[in-house]
């Protein structure tokens, strides 16, 4: 990625459980990472798409960033999405 460019990736989040999955908190590690998500409560069997965008403005070199997702899933209460890249 070149300095001052941005890149996006879309992820699918699927609720394979028997009750509603509630994404309680979504926390990017830095303000240069943003996300869009239609809703934070996902019914059983339902999927939603989450698009993550990294803006490389004023950044350079290797980037090792993340987004933490806190949910009501007792077996996976926290999920981390890694955002890794190199800015030229």
């Amino acid at each position: 990625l070149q300095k001052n460019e941005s890149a996006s990736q879309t992820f699918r989040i699927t609720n394979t459980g028997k009750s509603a999955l509630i994404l309680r908190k979504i926390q990017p590690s830095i303000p240069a990472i943003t996300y869009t998500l239609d809703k934070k409560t996902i019914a059983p069997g339902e999927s939603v798409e989450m698009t993550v965008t990294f803006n490389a403005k004023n950044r350079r070199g290797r980037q090792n960033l993340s987004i933490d997702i806190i949910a009501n899933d007792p077996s996976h209460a926290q999920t981390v999405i890694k955002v890794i890249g190199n800015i030229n």
Side-chain angles (χ1 to χ4, degrees):
L1 190 63
Q2 298 298 315
K3 184 177 175 185
N4 296 323
E5 290 183 343
S6 63
S8 297
Q9 179 67 47
T10 300
F11 301 89
R12 180 173 294 260
I13 301 171
T14 302
N15 181 356
T16 59
K18 295 182 180 183
S19 60
L21 176 64
I22 301 169
L23 306 179
R24 293 184 174 150
K25 184 176 182 181
I26 302 173
Q27 183 66 51
S29 60
I30 63 169
I33 298 174
T34 58
Y35 68 91
T36 58
L37 181 67
D38 291 337
K39 58 184 175 177
K40 291 185 177 182
T41 300
I42 307 166
E46 186 178 40
S47 295
V48 296
E49 290 188 346
M50 176 179 182
T51 300
V52 176
T53 302
F54 172 64
N55 184 343
K57 183 177 181 181
N58 298 325
R59 301 191 72 83
R60 60 178 104 154
R62 183 156 173 78
Q63 305 293 306
N64 190 357
L65 311 168
S66 64
I67 296 179
D68 293 331
I69 301 174
I70 308 296
N72 67 330
D73 182 341
S75 59
H76 296 96
Q78 182 175 5
T79 300
V80 178
I81 297 174
K82 295 286 187 177
V83 180
I84 300 170
N86 193 38
I87 312 303
N88 296 321

